[in-house]
Amino acid sequence: MDLNKSCLSQNGQTNFNAFESEKTVLGTIITDPDVLLEIESILKPKDFYSEKHGLIYSLCWESYKKDGTVSLPYICEIAKDSVTAYELTGITELATSKQAVIRLAMVVKEKSMFRQTQRMALNITDNLKKSDDLPEILSTIQLDLID
C-alpha cells in the first residue's frame, strides 16, 4: 500500500482516517491476539479515527492482559451499548498476517498524526484570531505539542 496514495480520497482531498485499516488491525488482533505485542509501540486507543475501534482495541488489551487471549464475549459484555458480536465477527473476516498488520498499524498511526496536526493548526489559527499576545499564543502552542 502506497502511504501517499492512501492519504487521498477519490476526489483528491486529504483523507485523515484509515477506517478499513483499523478494522483489519482489529480483526487480526481478535484472531491472533499475540499480534498486540507486535503493534504495542505503534498504536494507542486514541490513534483510531473511530471511537468504537479505539474502544475495541482497549478491550482487546484488557482481555489479553487477563489471560493471553482476546475474548469476544468479554468485549461484548463490557461494550454492550457500543459493540455487537455480529460486528466483531465481521471484523475478524478482515484478518491478515502479522507483517501486514504492522504496516496497517503504521497507516492508522500516520492518519492519527495527520488529524492531530490538523487540530493543532486549527487551534493556532483560532488563537491568532483571538489574541495579539504572541507569548501567550506560543505558550498555547507549546501546551498543544506536549498534549
Side-chain angles (χ1 to χ4, degrees):
M1 177 183 297
D2 182 351
L3 291 181
N4 292 324
K5 289 182 183 174
S6 73
C7 295
L8 297 177
S9 65
Q10 289 180 335
N11 64 4
Q13 297 295 314
T14 303
N15 179 5
F16 290 111
N17 71 66
F19 200 74
E20 291 302 316
S21 296
E22 290 180 9
K23 290 190 329 187
T24 304
V25 167
L26 293 172
T28 306
I29 290 168
I30 292 168
T31 58
D32 183 5
D34 290 334
V35 81
L36 280 165
L37 301 174
E38 302 287 331
I39 62 173
E40 177 179 22
S41 65
I42 301 170
L43 284 180
K44 304 293 179 238
K46 69 177 184 165
D47 292 327
F48 289 85
Y49 179 77
S50 165
E51 287 181 29
K52 184 185 290 190
H53 292 167
L55 174 63
I56 293 169
Y57 183 74
S58 294
L59 294 173
C60 286
W61 265 112
E62 283 181 29
S63 179
Y64 187 79
K65 287 176 184 176
K66 283 182 177 185
D67 62 8
T69 66
V70 172
S71 166
L72 295 185
Y74 171 80
I75 294 171
C76 289
E77 177 60 29
I78 300 298
K80 58 185 158 210
D81 295 332
S82 302
V83 180
T84 66
Y86 179 77
E87 288 174 297
L88 293 175
T89 303
I91 288 173
T92 61
E93 294 174 4
L94 299 172
T96 188
S97 68
K98 280 186 183 183
Q99 205 55 27
V101 82
I102 291 168
R103 181 93 165 115
L104 290 173
M106 290 168 47
V107 169
V108 172
K109 182 65 171 187
E110 179 182 72
K111 300 293 183 154
S112 173
M113 291 168 52
F114 280 132
R115 290 190 305 274
Q116 290 171 358
T117 303
Q118 182 185 42
R119 276 192 297 272
M120 286 176 37
L122 290 172
N123 287 341
I124 291 168
T125 303
D126 287 345
N127 286 329
L128 287 170
K129 289 177 183 176
K130 293 177 187 174
S131 173
D132 290 339
D133 185 0
L134 189 57
E136 180 184 329
I137 293 170
L138 292 174
S139 176
T140 303
I141 293 169
Q142 285 176 329
L143 290 174
D144 282 348
L145 287 172
I146 293 170
D147 216 13

